[in-house]
């Protein structure tokens, strides 16, 4: 039962980055199911002001119920704070497929991202804050196309 | 020394009033790109306000939630520093306010992230990462405008001069036992950050002179009242309304 609920909840898509699930984003921090089928699910927001959190909580509860949970409690935890290092490899690949250059690892030196479209390493920053504070807008010198870059944080 | 409740109100009110002011740029920014960036800064500030005020309400235990605290307190009940209630002025003034506030918040939240009070530490750790983006955004603009044309240099310099007296209040003795932090200890590291940015912007640090004070005790400038009137009008006109 726990495995089924966890798989269902992890697959809930992020309302802002629809190509990613909350599991791939690293927003799902814990799933427990007691003998009576009551699930407690812990999620963490990517940032405090995340307006999508209420939708995520509702979607998570619905997914858990659909997977057989008799009752659901969704707990929001802030610590440890979410970091882009929790993005799974699948998530990074999906971001690149969607035209968003994935973030580097915080533990590694910061490198300018390559173009997600043509893989050219020559890109320049147009704006440090794009559609979200964590998204920079860049342009590829190779193919000339602009793209978003999720900054490591 | 103030209570943790009062301290959380101060942290939350700084963020809430800054969010409301910054959001005034929506549909007024000089470029679409800056419009989106400023809206994101405002959204971060609003998220921080919700976290601090929500916790304050639970701690108080009097049935006031984040909305009650945001929309049903009067001016004298607000604990924000006066810096955040100043009018936006021109774009340079907004940039200066954002830089000074964010540099303070980043240092403050990084320190609070290490306090033994787990919930305060949790919110602060999250908020510190967001403030880092605001610092880098405001720094880039301070440098671009300060080290720009003669006109942009003059206006950025005037903005820094105008806002500077309101920064002193951020470092006044004001803390809660759970925070265990003397704000005065943040001033040196804050000056290092700010002076470096001003230097790159070919601007000099203003002289310390007259210093604004009183916000932490509910004494505000003439500009907070109209801001609250606008921010609170819908909630008060439709008391108890639900989506
Ligand atoms: Zn390219």
């Amino acid at each position: 039962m726990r495995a089924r609920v966890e798989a269902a909840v992890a697959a809930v898509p992020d309302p802002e980055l629809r190509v990613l699930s909350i599991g791939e984003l690293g927003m799902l921090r814990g799933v427990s199911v007691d003998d009576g089928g009551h699930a407690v699910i812990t999620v963490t927001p990517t940032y405090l002001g995340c307006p999508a959190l209420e939708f995520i909580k509702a979607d998570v509860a619905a997914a858990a119920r659909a997977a057989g949970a008799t009752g659901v409690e969704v707990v929001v935890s802030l610590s440890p704070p979410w970091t882009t290092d929790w993005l799974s490899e699948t998530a990074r690949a999906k971001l690149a497929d969607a035209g968003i250059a994935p973030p580097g690892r915080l533990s590694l030196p910061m490198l300018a991202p390559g173009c997600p479209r043509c893989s050219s390493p020559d890109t320049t920053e147009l704006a440090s804050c794009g559609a979200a504070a964590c998204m920079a807008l860049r342009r590829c010198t190779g193919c000339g196309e602009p793209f978003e870059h999720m900054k490591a944080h | 020394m103030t209570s943790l409740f009062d301290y959380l109100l101060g942290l939350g009110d700084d963020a809430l009033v800054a969010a409301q002011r910054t959001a005034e740029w929506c549909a007024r920014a000089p470029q679409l790109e800056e419009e989106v960036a400023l809206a994101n800064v405002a959204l971060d500030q609003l998220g921080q306000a919700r976290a601090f005020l929500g916790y304050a309400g639970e701690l108080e235990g009097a049935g006031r939630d984040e909305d009650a605290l945001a929309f049903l307190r009067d001016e004298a009940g607000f604990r924000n520093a006066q810096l955040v209630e100043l009018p936006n002025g021109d774009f340079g003034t907004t940039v200066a306010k954002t830089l000074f506030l964010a540099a303070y918040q980043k240092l403050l939240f990084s320190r609070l992230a290490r306090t033994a009070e787990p919930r305060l530490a949790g919110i602060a750790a999250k908020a510190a990462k967001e403030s880092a983006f605001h610092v880098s955004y405001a720094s880039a603009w301070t440098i671009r405008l300060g080290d720009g044309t003669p006109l942009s240099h003059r206006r950025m310099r005037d903005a820094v001069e105008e806002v500077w007296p309101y920064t002193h209040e951020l470092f006044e003795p004001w803390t809660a036992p759970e925070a265990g932090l003397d704000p005065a200890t943040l001033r040196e590291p804050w000056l290092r950050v700010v002076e470096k940015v001003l230097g790159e912007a070919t601007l000099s640090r203003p002289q310390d002179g007259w210093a604004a004070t009183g916000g932490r005790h509910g004494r505000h400038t003439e500009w907070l009242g109209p801001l609250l009137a606008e921010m609170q009008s819908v909630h008060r006109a439709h008391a108890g309304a639900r989506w």
Side-chain angles (χ1 to χ4, degrees):
Chain A
M1 167 73 121
R2 191 192 157 278
R4 200 163 74 228
V5 170
E6 181 168 25
V9 169
V12 166
D14 177 72
E16 288 191 48
L17 285 166
R18 299 291 303 183
V19 295
L20 298 185
S21 69
I22 64 164
E24 290 162 342
L25 267 166
M27 293 176 68
L28 183 61
R29 303 313 294 167
V31 175
S32 67
V33 183
D34 70 15
D35 294 341
H38 185 88
V40 178
I41 294 151
T42 308
V43 295
T44 194
T46 55
Y47 62 110
L48 281 171
C50 180
L53 192 60
E54 292 305 315
F55 297 96
I56 292 172
K57 283 164 71 177
D59 291 351
V60 159
R65 282 205 187 82
T70 53
V72 187
E73 183 189 355
V74 184
V75 178
V76 176
S77 155
L78 296 182
S79 48
W82 181 86
T83 154
T84 47
D85 278 0
W86 294 352
L87 285 169
S88 67
E89 286 308 325
T90 322
R92 287 163 195 272
K94 284 188 182 177
L95 278 177
D97 282 347
I100 301 170
R105 298 281 178 182
L106 282 174
S107 51
L108 300 175
M110 291 287 173
L111 296 173
C115 173
R117 185 180 295 264
C118 74
S119 303
S120 162
D122 298 321
T123 65
T124 53
E125 185 177 279
L126 299 177
S128 68
C129 276
C134 68
M135 289 281 200
L137 191 63
R138 301 184 70 91
R139 181 187 285 129
C140 171
T141 323
C143 68
E145 290 292 327
F147 65 92
E148 285 189 303
H149 170 223
M150 188 186 277
K151 295 178 282 185
H153 64 286
Chain B
M1 203 64 92
T2 180
S3 67
L4 181 56
F5 170 72
D6 235 34
Y7 190 67
L8 292 167
L9 284 188
L11 300 178
D13 290 346
D14 281 351
L16 179 64
V17 175
Q20 180 71 13
R21 266 294 178 244
T22 308
E24 288 175 8
W25 279 102
C26 286
R28 291 188 183 89
Q31 300 167 356
L32 195 53
E33 199 174 296
E34 300 320 314
E35 173 124 352
V36 174
L38 286 167
N40 277 306
V41 171
L43 181 59
D44 284 346
Q45 293 282 4
L46 190 61
Q48 295 171 11
R50 292 185 63 185
F52 287 124
L53 294 182
Y55 183 23
E58 285 177 37
L59 206 60
E60 185 190 37
R64 291 201 283 182
D65 61 6
E66 59 186 40
D67 285 340
L69 287 171
F71 298 123
L72 298 176
R73 275 180 302 149
D74 292 327
E75 200 179 323
F78 273 74
R79 292 289 175 267
N80 59 280
Q82 293 178 3
L83 170 70
V84 294
E85 64 201 48
L86 298 179
N88 278 334
D90 63 10
F91 188 70
T93 311
T94 294
V95 165
K97 285 196 299 175
T98 305
L99 173 66
F100 296 154
L101 176 71
Y104 156 78
Q105 286 180 323
K106 179 169 178 255
L107 290 163
L108 174 70
F109 294 150
S110 303
R111 290 274 295 275
L112 291 178
R114 301 200 296 268
T115 60
E117 212 286 322
R119 187 149 165 199
L120 175 60
I123 301 169
K126 198 106 187 85
K129 295 177 64 164
E130 299 170 4
S131 300
F133 282 125
H134 308 166
V135 173
S136 86
Y137 173 75
S139 299
W141 267 111
T142 303
I143 294 164
R144 191 162 159 191
L145 293 173
D147 190 17
T149 65
L151 175 63
S152 74
H153 176 86
R154 178 172 61 72
R155 289 177 69 163
M156 195 63 228
R157 184 198 60 205
D158 291 351
V160 167
E161 292 279 349
E162 184 189 341
V163 173
W164 191 260
Y166 292 88
T167 61
H168 302 294
E169 192 180 10
L170 302 173
F171 308 102
E172 283 180 353
W174 172 73
T175 193
E178 293 81 355
L181 168 71
D182 176 2
T185 60
L186 299 176
R187 184 135 199 269
E188 277 309 313
W190 180 85
L191 279 172
R192 279 199 294 278
V193 173
V194 165
E195 284 176 355
K196 182 165 181 291
V197 175
L198 293 179
E200 278 188 59
T202 70
L203 297 166
S204 43
R205 169 192 154 185
Q207 296 280 312
D208 293 336
W210 171 78
T213 184
R216 301 299 186 201
H217 306 283
R219 291 191 298 276
H220 295 283
T221 67
E222 71 204 68
W223 294 296
L224 182 62
L227 177 146
L228 294 182
E230 185 178 22
M231 184 181 85
Q232 298 179 334
S233 62
V234 174
H235 185 93
R236 292 189 184 220
H238 302 277
R242 292 253 161 263
W243 290 108

